[in-house]
Amino acid sequence: MRLELLGSVRAWCDEAEVRLGPPKQRAVVGVLASRVNEIVGVEEIVDAVWGTAVPQTAANGVHTYVAGLRRALEPGRGRRASGGVLTSAGGGYALCIDPDQVDVAVFERHHAEARRLHGQGRPHEALSVFDTALGLWRGDAYANVPGPFAEMERTRLTELRLTAVEEWAADMLAVGRHAEAVPVLSHLVAREPLRERLRWFLMLSLYHSGRRAHALGVYRETRSLLREELGLEPGSELQSLHAQILAGNHDLDARATDGPAWHEDCRTIALAEAVPAAPAHEPAVRPAQLPYSARGFVGRAEELAELNSLTAQSGRGPEMRPTLVVVEGAPGVGKSTLVLCAAHQLGDRFPDGQLYVDLQGAASRQKALSAMDALAQLLRSLGVPKSDLPDDLAGRTSLYRSMVHGKRVLVVLDDAENAEQVRPLIPGGPACVLVTSRRVQRGLVVRDGAYRIVLKSLSSDESVQLITYLIGAGRVEGHGEAAALLAEMCGHLPLALRIAAESLAEHPRLTLTDMAQQHAAEEGRLDRLAVEDDVAASLRAAFDVAYDVLSADGARLFRLLGLYHGGVFTAAAAAALMGCDLPRAEQALGALTDSHLLEEAGDDMFRFHNLLGIYAAECAEREPAHLRTAALARLLDAGQFASDLTRTSVAISPQSVLIGRSGCRRTPYREIGETPTRT
């Protein structure tokens, strides 16, 4: 048997992995493994696993977890037989195994031996032992294990690991393996940006690898970071090394292998993963990949101010977290335009470059870009040759984050489909990531701390302002009412407004009044709001993409709601149309609102954006006629139609009750094949 704590807590019996159970059960085995062959009292285990938030059932919980561990670690033990691996005595439990079966003990033993060899001036032998010790690490110690004990051990072991790596680096320099040390030290500096000793070793390794300019660049970056984050200058040791590199001092080797006498009061950040000996890549150019921003951007002052405020926080505070902002909204509302406009305005805040990836989350008839492929694009942009790209997602993510960590870069991820697609593309440090999506991205908010900006349609004044900019003030002067009416027909969506304005620009004799009259009829309006041979400039195409990825229930409800012409509707009305219970209808409504195909109009009240309502009516034609008839009959039977109209204060005529929307025209009751008495 062996236990692994230097990463995710795992256990192995021969070559088969043992399932250790839920997180707190793994926390219990972690506590016992830290003191093998010693009795650990139940109260100690409770304090180690729960800390101050101790439930009344904690002691019973410990007994339950120990029983579960016994079943896992000793599967052949009889139910009443005493344990051989996990024993109980003196009001506690003991894990009875050889200490060398626990990787922490093995690491500490190898580390002590490597230090002994190092102190005896035997660097080649010390390096071999250091490699064995550091090779035991698979990530953060006690990864994903809760409790104060796990947190303390994580901190202690991480510091021990960093010390071992620094001693390893000293021996690498002592034997002249400078170039081999550079990739590992570069990776560590990215993970530990404020640990000056690592930067000292990196500068020296770069200098003696013939990369003097890069060594001086590390010092400049260090000085800028320390001044900005801590208000301090680099320590005297770094300053001295910087001066000697500037002077081209070739005697640095002989007296610098152990590094300076460091003060250990600088801040330490835990490593996120094992140190890979990855190739060092430095960007060939400063990336500047932002697409151009469309002319005629109007309005959005509040959203731009919010983006400005949020991006100013990038990399601030002791933890140097990146800023993550998600801009959501309906198709055609101008999400990408807003983000690109803001990105161009804020570009000076990110001197290390701007990266852009179209994730194609809503690309018509195309599969969304995977995180693997997106990382390949980003790494190639940062100068990594295709042949050096790691073959796995974890490897690409690690290399990408290492290359941009500590750099002020702006990353724009356009048209995201889901959180899993985005998470590997979020770097650490002072970066800023702006994401656009047609869907609500709650996962990025809950787990990743993203800020959300929900984009709505333009106001009437902003819509007229956009039309005026695109066709000229002369054509709008004296036709303000017609311009406002056209804006209303376009639903105040920037994409629709631009399409209409382009049609006006193409036909100089066409007046705003003429254009508004052309768009007055709902039938054919979406046909007119499209540019021939350009799917990206078609409102219906944008709606198609959002509709095509709906679940079966969501798509069916969307079609059935296209029959409904009541302005606003409730979950009860949706349930009647679908012929299902209320929870299922509410779930389908949630899918539509999450896709921004429906708007919430109040408590349990929903409505379509007017152009989406027209599109829904078109989709309703895909529903077989007999199913449309049955859905409307259920709506009348449930009494929802009249009550919902009452909520919107719409007058209805008893001679022709408006209950449907078919082919974008109003449908009298008699056309659905029911008898008037049902009215």
Side-chain angles (χ1 to χ4, degrees):
M1 179 182 296
R2 69 181 190 277
L3 288 170
E4 296 180 350
L5 306 177
L6 300 177
S8 300
V9 174
R10 304 169 73 183
W12 302 81
C13 187
D14 294 326
E15 295 304 317
E17 184 171 4
V18 176
R19 295 184 178 276
L20 291 177
K24 280 190 168 57
Q25 189 162 299
R26 282 183 275 121
V28 171
V29 80
V31 174
L32 298 174
S34 70
R35 294 166 57 181
V36 294
N37 302 314
E38 292 183 30
I39 295 174
V40 184
V42 171
E43 291 300 323
E44 291 182 76
I45 298 174
V46 168
D47 291 341
V49 175
W50 281 275
T52 57
V54 181
Q56 293 182 348
T57 58
N60 289 334
V62 171
H63 300 315
T64 301
Y65 292 141
V66 168
L69 289 171
R70 281 175 168 165
R71 288 192 297 271
L73 299 175
E74 301 176 81
R77 184 181 66 90
R79 183 168 183 177
R80 298 186 179 277
S82 59
V85 175
L86 252 178
T87 63
S88 57
Y93 298 97
L95 185 63
C96 299
I97 58 175
D98 188 321
D100 280 351
Q101 292 174 260
V102 182
D103 60 355
V104 170
V106 177
F107 167 73
E108 291 176 332
R109 179 166 55 79
H110 282 308
H111 182 211
E113 173 65 12
R115 297 186 80 173
R116 185 183 67 81
L117 294 168
H118 172 88
Q120 293 176 353
R122 298 157 65 183
H124 288 92
E125 296 171 72
L127 281 173
S128 176
V129 183
F130 272 126
D131 288 340
T132 301
L134 293 170
L136 295 169
W137 284 80
R138 298 169 292 101
D140 282 341
Y142 288 81
N144 302 320
V145 172
F149 174 80
E151 184 60 36
M152 288 188 295
E153 277 295 277
R154 197 156 31 240
T155 301
R156 180 185 74 85
L157 291 168
T158 295
E159 180 60 33
L160 194 60
R161 177 189 187 184
L162 285 171
T163 300
V165 173
E166 289 164 349
E167 293 162 347
W168 167 87
D171 283 328
M172 291 289 283
L173 292 173
V175 300
R177 295 168 62 182
H178 310 101
E180 294 177 62
V182 168
V184 176
L185 291 171
S186 298
H187 182 87
L188 276 168
V189 165
R191 294 293 180 185
E192 299 287 335
L194 297 179
R195 195 171 178 104
E196 290 189 48
R197 190 178 186 191
L198 285 174
R199 289 182 176 269
W200 189 93
F201 281 119
L202 176 59
M203 287 174 61
L204 192 58
S205 298
L206 286 167
Y207 176 62
H208 286 296
S209 299
R211 300 169 66 182
R212 180 184 179 192
H214 291 111
L216 295 172
V218 170
Y219 180 81
R220 288 194 300 271
E221 178 189 275
T222 305
R223 185 169 184 264
S224 174
L225 182 65
L226 290 173
R227 292 179 69 179
E228 184 171 345
E229 296 300 325
L230 303 176
L232 300 173
E233 290 291 331
S236 59
E237 296 84 359
L238 270 181
Q239 293 185 35
S240 175
L241 180 60
H242 177 242
Q244 293 180 74
I245 290 175
L246 280 173
N249 187 345
H250 294 288
D251 295 330
L252 285 172
D253 280 335
R255 49 194 176 79
T257 55
D258 281 328
W262 291 91
H263 300 290
E264 293 299 329
D265 57 351
C266 55
R267 172 174 164 262
T268 298
I269 305 171
L271 286 172
E273 55 192 45
V275 181
H281 299 289
E282 300 193 20
V285 294
R286 172 182 175 270
Q289 299 181 330
L290 295 179
Y292 65 88
S293 184
R295 68 183 180 92
F297 183 85
V298 300
R300 308 301 194 195
E302 183 177 338
E303 290 84 357
L304 284 172
E306 186 172 2
L307 283 169
N308 181 65
S309 174
L310 292 174
T311 54
Q313 302 174 23
S314 294
R316 305 295 182 187
E319 296 183 355
M320 288 188 66
R321 285 198 183 104
T323 296
L324 176 61
V325 185
V326 182
V327 178
E328 304 167 355
V333 79
K335 302 178 291 295
S336 298
T337 303
L338 169 68
V339 165
L340 289 176
C341 179
H344 281 288
Q345 292 179 10
L346 303 169
D348 291 343
R349 289 185 182 172
F350 302 95
D352 295 315
Q354 300 91 43
L355 296 161
Y356 174 87
V357 180
D358 181 1
L359 295 176
Q360 301 176 14
S364 180
R365 306 295 185 264
Q366 294 183 32
K367 184 180 179 182
L369 196 69
S370 68
M372 275 283 286
D373 291 338
L375 283 166
Q377 287 188 23
L378 290 167
L379 289 169
R380 294 294 302 278
S381 302
L382 294 169
V384 180
K386 186 176 181 180
S387 58
D388 287 347
L389 290 176
D391 294 329
D392 61 304
L393 179 61
R396 291 187 182 184
T397 302
S398 176
L399 180 58
Y400 163 66
R401 289 175 175 167
S402 299
M403 294 187 69
V404 299
H405 193 93
K407 298 185 182 297
R408 292 198 169 277
V409 294
L410 177 64
V411 184
V412 176
L413 304 176
D414 201 8
D415 197 12
E417 182 181 31
N418 53 48
E420 286 70 25
Q421 189 186 27
V422 171
R423 284 192 180 109
L425 314 182
I426 304 174
C432 177
V433 182
L434 303 181
V435 182
T436 70
S437 179
R438 69 184 187 279
R439 294 184 55 79
V440 175
Q441 299 294 343
R442 293 189 184 87
L444 291 176
V445 176
V446 172
R447 177 176 165 183
D448 304 282
Y451 299 94
R452 283 181 65 207
I453 296 178
V454 181
L455 212 56
K456 301 295 184 181
S457 302
L458 295 174
S459 68
S460 180
D461 289 343
E462 290 170 341
S463 299
V464 172
Q465 184 183 350
L466 178 57
I467 293 173
T468 302
Y469 177 89
L470 294 172
I471 68 173
R475 294 184 69 178
V476 178
E477 187 175 358
H479 300 279
E481 289 186 6
L485 180 59
L486 178 60
E488 179 69 25
M489 300 299 177
C490 292
H492 303 291
L493 290 178
L495 177 59
L497 291 166
R498 287 180 177 275
I499 295 171
E502 169 57 26
S503 183
L504 283 166
E506 189 177 351
H507 302 90
R509 295 185 181 181
L510 191 65
T511 67
L512 278 165
T513 302
D514 294 336
M515 178 65 76
Q517 288 176 349
Q518 286 182 11
H519 285 75
E522 291 182 348
E523 189 170 4
R525 190 185 298 178
L526 292 180
D527 292 327
R528 291 185 287 274
L529 291 175
V531 174
E532 189 176 357
D533 298 327
D534 189 350
V535 174
S538 166
L539 206 60
R540 180 185 282 109
F543 293 164
D544 280 342
V545 172
Y547 172 83
D548 287 345
V549 296
L550 289 172
S551 64
D553 272 359
R556 179 167 176 259
L557 178 58
F558 186 79
R559 294 192 300 271
L560 294 176
L561 289 174
L563 301 171
Y564 188 81
H565 206 67
V568 299
F569 46 86
T570 63
L577 282 169
M578 293 182 69
C580 67
D581 57 25
L582 193 59
R584 183 176 173 184
E586 289 173 339
Q587 188 174 10
L589 284 169
L592 296 180
T593 54
D594 282 354
S595 298
H596 295 286
L597 295 177
L598 278 183
E599 301 173 354
E600 293 190 35
D603 186 21
D604 189 32
M605 297 175 69
F606 304 87
R607 67 182 172 209
F608 280 121
H609 179 280
N610 60 353
L611 293 180
L612 277 166
I614 295 172
Y615 176 75
E618 292 183 0
C619 292
E621 296 296 321
R622 306 177 191 179
E623 195 77 1
H626 70 284
L627 295 181
R628 297 201 302 267
T629 299
L632 291 171
R634 287 193 300 270
L635 189 67
L636 286 173
D637 285 338
Q640 288 298 319
F641 176 71
S643 64
D644 286 342
L645 285 183
T646 303
R647 298 179 93 170
T648 58
S649 301
V650 176
I652 58 175
S653 164
Q655 283 76 29
S656 179
V657 179
L658 177 64
I659 63 167
R661 192 171 193 169
S662 178
C664 304
R665 61 188 177 84
R666 301 191 172 195
T667 308
Y669 183 77
R670 61 179 177 273
E671 290 188 25
I672 67 169
E674 299 290 339
T675 59
T677 55
R678 290 289 298 278
T679 320

